[in-house]
Amino acid sequence: MSDILPHGSWPSPVTPELIVQGAATLTDTWEEGETVWWSELRPSEGGRVQIVRRDPDGECTDLLPDGFSARNRVHEYGGGAWWVDRGIVYFTNWDDQRMYRLAPDGPPQPITPEPPVPHGWRYADGRVTLDGSCIVCVREDHTTGDEARNEIVAVAADGSRDPIVLITGRDFVSSPRPSPDGRQLAWITWDHPNMPWDDTELWIASMKCRGGVVSVGGPRRVAGGTGESVMQPEWGRHGILYVISDQSDWWNIYKVEGVDSLTPMVKLDAEIGGPAWTFSTSTFGFTKPDGHIILTWTERGRARLGRIDPMGGELQAWILPYVSLRNLRVAGQTVVAVAESTHHEPEVVRLSTVASHAQHQVLRKSRDLGLDPDMISRPEPIAFLSAGGRSAHAYFYPPAHAEVEGPEDELPPLIVMSHGGPTSAARSSFNLATQFWTSRGFAVVDVDYGGSTGYGRTYRKLLDGNWGVVDVEDCCAAAEYLSRKGFVDGARMAIRGGSAGGFTTLAALTTTDTFRAGANHFGVSDLGGLAEETHKFESRYLDKLVGPWPDAKDVYDARSPINHVDGFSCPLITFQGLEDAIVLPNQSERIVAALDAKGIPHAYLAFEGEQHGFRKAETIISVLNAELSFYGQVFGFDPHGVSEPVTIAHGDRL
């Protein structure tokens, strides 16, 4: 028999300590022959990123000594911080943002010069030239005192000379890819106010590499432009270039036949690709020696792996026991990737593509959490009507526990999750932090509001000019839909989100009465302040989401939660990293000060040494405990396992 306890008060084995103990976020993969590398963000090591090598005999080795972390600050979100060529690892180190060379038999050696200002030169997304003498990569230059310059540079692989600028003059560049014969270079570029999922261009140029010196000439645009997002250029057999484009509404793979001449390789109503918030994401590659395309996408909640001969043939597809594959790398006839599931944490897998089905081998297992399967809440995709009769999407997680049930006359409280970005998506993959809530008796809904990715360009563009409107409408509609269905307690619904999701949280709390509590994780409270103060990558993002700044200042003011504090009718808890360069701490400090002045119950926790998103184990533990305690005080239940309740200012008004 199950124990009967109020929702929210259930004892759970999913403790904050379990979430961080031995946890590692798998961030990238690489493969050469039978050797595989991957990277792990480890909260228990202060949030540093370690690179792990797995040798053909199965032995795994941590490569980076103490004091090194493979993480860069390009675009502030980083990505593409390391790569491998002929067994040598090249990486950007977090502390100084210099590039290092790590041979199998020695310590890391810097190969880029010391910048004149800390973190002045930042490197990402590199590839090594055919002769192994140079690395072609993105460099973000913060040494001029003006807006950062984003350029493609050539770095000597032995550090013997200063980097050479190859491509400059555009606001942003990414994905520099030398052709296999070393004679051409392809790259992606875009300008303000576009983001990489808006209007981007594919360029190529001739390239020479002699004596370790690289030069390029004759650059020409071959694809992309207004109304089209292109990404991930890759060279196939015979020097043919391929790219992902959304010209059919969905990000699919195309062959580049000539200027503005693309031939589709597949025609799927699904996304082969996603928003390029970080560098060097990969969803397709080529087998050797036959040059077949291996690609991955998600369809009906299941990961697919496909193979197609670009010279002609039908797509061969396999359904995998995962919900998605990330950072897919192809070597020979095998693939390595980070595989995500609904019932365990991500793992690194190798998949064979030569059999009639995709045989897979787990190279880096997920943690054995020791959870009873009945403790795990599985995502249920839902679609519902929102404002104006449009459809919106979400993943619903009902409460789940192996030994406890809620009272028959009590429905569970609901937590609405508003994802960041906002050009991003909810994920159906296993997330222990979500299970933290569901195993305590909460229901959770993770909303893919209009503007989310994974549903084509048309759905993605719904947020243009409507940030703070469509996202709020869809989050409220999800909550109200679940309440009408009798799945959740409509009187105990909370909304939480981080970054852009924090903005949606604040906007929902100040403009609607749907929710009774909110949790703001480093969210935006002042859109005008964000437009003026944030980093280069997102400095014009709001031009499309809200309107041109400062011409549309009235719209910015009308949408900013800081200007609608009188609309707050429920308590709020706020969390902020004090080294956040994307959403500055003053965004949280201003909303907290306004709540205090109005006498609205609230709590505020700020963390030294944390940037945009929390990476340290002690921070993650503190945040989860505080948020659980906060909901307990607001919704009137005694949360299990919280020894020190969070202090709520004006708590006497709850």
Side-chain angles (χ1 to χ4, degrees), residues 497-499 520-524 574-577 580 583 588 611-614:
S499 189
N520 166 35
H521 295 244
F522 41 90
V524 178
T574 295
F575 305 96
Q576 178 69 47
D580 194 334
V583 178
S588 290
Q611 296 91 43
H612 197 66
F614 302 138

Side-chain angles (χ1 to χ4, degrees), residues 44 101 151-152 168 202 244 251 286 307 327 330 337 405 408 412 423 428 430 437 517 519 595 603:
S44 60
R101 180 182 189 272
E151 303 168 318
I152 295 174
T168 190
L202 172 63
I244 292 174
W251 275 313
F286 300 91
R307 181 187 181 111
N327 295 323
V330 184
E405 295 179 358
E408 288 187 3
T423 309
S428 61
F430 180 87
W437 301 111
L595 292 172

Side-chain angles (χ1 to χ4, degrees), residues 127-140:
R127 294 296 184 270
V128 181
T129 55
L130 179 64
D131 65 358
S133 66
C134 286
I135 296 145
V136 181
C137 65
V138 173
R139 183 181 70 180
E140 192 170 81

